[in-house]
Amino acid sequence: MTMTTKKEIPWVNTLKGGCILLVVLYHVMLPGYADTASLLTAGQLPAKLWLAFNQHLSPLRMPAFFFVSGMLAANAILNRPWKQVFTSRVTNLFYLYFLWGAIQWLMINGVSQGIMGEHLSDNINAAWADSPWQFLKLMLLAMSSSWYLYALALFFLFARLFRQQKPLILLVAVVLNYAAVSNIIPGWGPESLSQYFIFFLFGAFYSELLIRWSEWRRDNLLPWALLTVLAAGHSLLGLQQSLFLCVLAILFCIAFCRWLNQTFSMRWLNWVGKNTLQIYVLHRIFIEFFGLSAILFAVSHQLFASPSFSLLWAVGFPLLMVLLCVGCSVAVWTLLNRGWGQSLFIYPKLLRMKFDAR
């Protein structure tokens, strides 16, 4: 990690914290909240605003998350030997991905089918797999709620292997990005891996350049202008989540998060940014339980027929669910993350090394 990055760790944590909250919001909105919009007898405007807000954050949410992840992995990719990084950066992530994929599958199926009798969504996801074989297949295709962990392991592996051939790996990543945003790649899991690989590489190889572009300086006007023109051109061609729009969003968020830390105390959001893993792996279970419970209760009691309830739901449900699911995730992690319970959040070999070092 460069000295620039070290000095700006607060904004890094702010950005990570903001991204994980937006990820939770995304899962709250789609499909649960979105499916209730047609049932509302009041509050259609705030519901549409929430849905539009969620949709328009697409160029920011995951690109920024992967950019920061690549930036934080840069030293391990570029400078450290395989022996020091393979277990922590590859094995650990694969372990957590499959472990929490299985936990989510068992828990969500237990909640959805055993208690509620149905799923919150009909989307294809390993968490709703009908058999162990289907579960494994979907996990390998990154079609899991924890796919980000899978992506990080794969992205690190390829970035490390091809770090001496940067132009080649960047070209491949750009082609994959265009194929993904053009809807050429089948399946949302492979599509997501293809779309976001480039942003991890930007963080790993070019974070200093992008951080410099994020500063309010006159000599940055040219790259900003070029990115804006290219983003607008791609938008006119129908590519709404173009590479250039996402880079602009990343630059804006770096500048905004830096300004927030210079102006306000961001201690709470920075803490969230330092603890994204537990929120990421646990929140989907609570969304399934609380979201499905609330929707089924409201529908069975015809609560949406009440304009007052509909308005309250339209305005408050997304925010309340985000706070509730994040709070429950942190609480459960606090209870579990003790002794060997920590092996739920770190590869056991790394945990033993941690204990031995004490």
Side-chain angles (χ1 to χ4, degrees):
M1 191 180 300
T2 66
M3 288 302 295
T4 301
T5 305
K6 286 181 180 179
K7 291 178 182 177
E8 296 184 310
I9 280 292
W11 72 254
V12 171
N13 290 324
T14 303
L15 185 52
K16 287 175 62 185
C19 285
I20 191 62
L21 294 180
L22 293 177
V23 167
V24 177
L25 176 65
Y26 176 82
H27 289 149
V28 167
M29 301 294 285
L30 300 173
Y33 180 78
D35 289 344
T36 65
S38 61
L39 304 176
L40 299 174
T41 54
Q44 285 84 0
L45 178 58
K48 289 179 180 178
L49 290 176
W50 270 117
L51 292 170
F53 175 72
N54 187 58
Q55 180 181 357
H56 284 91
L57 287 173
S58 295
L60 159 66
R61 185 171 42 235
M62 297 313 296
F65 221 161
F66 279 113
F67 169 78
V68 170
S69 298
M71 183 179 69
L72 296 177
N75 184 51
I77 291 171
L78 297 172
N79 301 318
R80 299 176 63 189
W82 268 115
K83 186 176 181 181
Q84 292 183 10
V85 300
F86 189 84
T87 301
S88 61
R89 293 287 184 172
V90 180
T91 307
N92 183 52
L93 289 169
F94 282 140
Y95 164 77
L96 292 172
Y97 174 66
F98 285 100
L99 172 65
W100 280 100
I103 293 173
Q104 289 173 358
W105 180 44
L106 295 172
M107 293 292 293
I108 290 176
N109 267 286
V111 169
S112 300
Q113 294 181 344
I115 300 176
M116 306 298 181
E118 60 182 280
H119 291 152
L120 184 60
S121 170
D122 293 326
N123 293 342
I124 299 175
N125 191 304
W128 301 309
D130 295 325
S131 66
W133 167 245
Q134 186 185 37
F135 166 77
L136 181 59
K137 177 183 176 181
L138 293 175
M139 289 291 291
L140 292 173
L141 289 173
M143 300 180 76
S144 162
S145 299
S146 300
W147 71 272
Y148 171 76
L149 300 174
Y150 192 49
L152 284 184
L154 292 174
F155 292 174
F156 180 90
L157 195 60
F158 283 108
R160 171 77 189 198
L161 288 172
F162 294 97
R163 71 185 190 274
Q164 301 298 334
Q165 295 84 32
K166 293 178 187 177
L168 174 62
I169 194 68
L170 285 169
L171 177 60
V172 171
V174 168
V175 171
L176 289 173
N177 177 271
Y178 273 93
V181 299
S182 301
N183 298 316
I184 295 174
I185 299 174
W188 67 263
E191 181 181 276
S192 298
L193 293 177
S194 301
Q195 182 175 353
Y196 299 122
F197 183 30
I198 185 65
F199 303 107
F200 182 88
L201 295 180
F202 283 162
F205 299 145
Y206 301 106
S207 60
E208 287 190 13
L209 176 63
L210 268 67
I211 290 171
R212 188 164 66 249
W213 283 358
S214 72
E215 297 171 354
W216 303 110
R217 292 168 20 181
R218 181 175 297 179
D219 56 354
N220 283 332
L221 290 177
L222 180 58
W224 293 344
L226 288 174
L227 288 168
T228 302
V229 170
L230 289 168
H234 281 68
S235 180
L236 291 174
L237 294 174
L239 299 176
Q240 300 300 323
Q241 296 186 41
S242 72
L243 173 63
F244 305 100
L245 179 61
C246 293
V247 171
L248 277 173
I250 292 171
L251 297 181
F252 171 79
C253 286
I254 293 173
F256 183 62
C257 291
R258 185 191 297 119
W259 174 80
L260 285 175
N261 278 277
Q262 292 171 349
T263 310
F264 305 102
S265 173
M266 302 302 296
R267 185 178 304 173
W268 67 274
L269 188 56
N270 291 347
W271 185 91
V272 171
K274 294 177 183 178
N275 293 276
T276 55
L277 173 64
Q278 51 268 42
I279 297 172
Y280 182 71
V281 297
L282 282 162
H283 79 274
R284 196 65 187 81
I285 298 171
F286 293 111
I287 288 176
E288 187 79 16
F289 180 76
F290 293 123
L292 188 58
S293 298
I295 292 171
L296 290 178
F297 183 85
V299 170
S300 64
H301 290 80
Q302 299 182 343
L303 296 181
F304 290 113
S306 166
S308 299
F309 178 83
S310 288
L311 179 60
L312 184 63
W313 180 281
V315 173
F317 180 81
L319 182 59
L320 178 63
M321 281 294 295
V322 169
L323 294 175
L324 181 61
C325 293
V326 169
C328 288
S329 298
V330 172
V332 169
W333 166 74
T334 302
L335 293 173
L336 294 176
N337 193 42
R338 302 177 183 186
W340 285 102
Q342 295 176 72
S343 60
L344 291 170
F345 304 98
I346 187 173
Y347 185 54
K349 181 179 178 180
L350 295 175
L351 183 61
R352 288 195 297 271
M353 292 169 61
K354 180 180 176 180
F355 285 158
D356 292 342
R358 290 179 177 178

